[in-house]
Amino acid sequence: QLGQLKPFLQTTFLVMFYSAALFLAIGTFIISANGTTTYSVILSGFLFALLLECYWCCQLVDRLNEVNTQIGILLYSLDWPVELQYTKATASRYRQARSSLLIM
């Protein structure tokens, strides 16, 4: 299901990132052109919130990528032949390893 949303999320993030950059450029221009007014202080707060939101989104994506890499490393370092041998003594461990791999 995430694979179906991926093109949408890429486009959405791209639009969000470039619109934030555009808002920052326009806001900076307005603040520098008008000087310090109440409007420019409010605009500065909005621009700061926009920067913070972009930062949080980028941090979230970075953390998800790190978790994805860690999951891949753990899966590839798993001792497959030992974990997936089915015997009566290791039946529960076999089912647990198999269900974990299916989830991944």
Side-chain angles (χ1 to χ4, degrees):
Q1 291 175 350
L2 189 59
Q4 292 174 348
L5 287 176
K6 195 173 184 178
F8 173 73
L9 293 176
Q10 287 175 343
T11 306
T12 304
F13 183 74
L14 187 68
V15 167
M16 184 183 95
F17 180 76
Y18 283 112
S19 65
L22 182 66
F23 284 143
L24 286 171
I26 292 171
T28 305
F29 175 75
I30 290 173
I31 290 171
S32 64
N34 292 339
T36 306
T37 62
T38 306
Y39 176 72
S40 64
V41 171
I42 293 171
L43 185 61
S44 298
F46 170 73
L47 293 176
F48 179 75
L50 192 63
L51 274 173
L52 199 59
E53 183 180 358
C54 284
Y55 173 76
W56 283 336
C57 287
C58 290
Q59 283 293 87
L60 177 64
V61 169
D62 285 343
R63 286 182 187 164
L64 286 174
N65 284 334
E66 288 174 9
V67 168
N68 184 25
T69 302
Q70 290 173 353
I71 289 172
I73 289 170
L74 287 174
L75 282 176
Y76 284 120
S77 67
L78 183 66
D79 195 11
W80 297 89
V82 174
E83 293 290 326
L84 292 178
Q85 287 181 347
Y86 182 81
T87 61
K88 289 199 182 252
T90 61
S92 66
R93 189 171 181 174
Y94 171 81
R95 279 189 234 107
Q96 182 183 12
R98 187 177 170 121
S99 64
S100 295
L101 290 174
L102 287 173
I103 290 171
M104 295 301 153

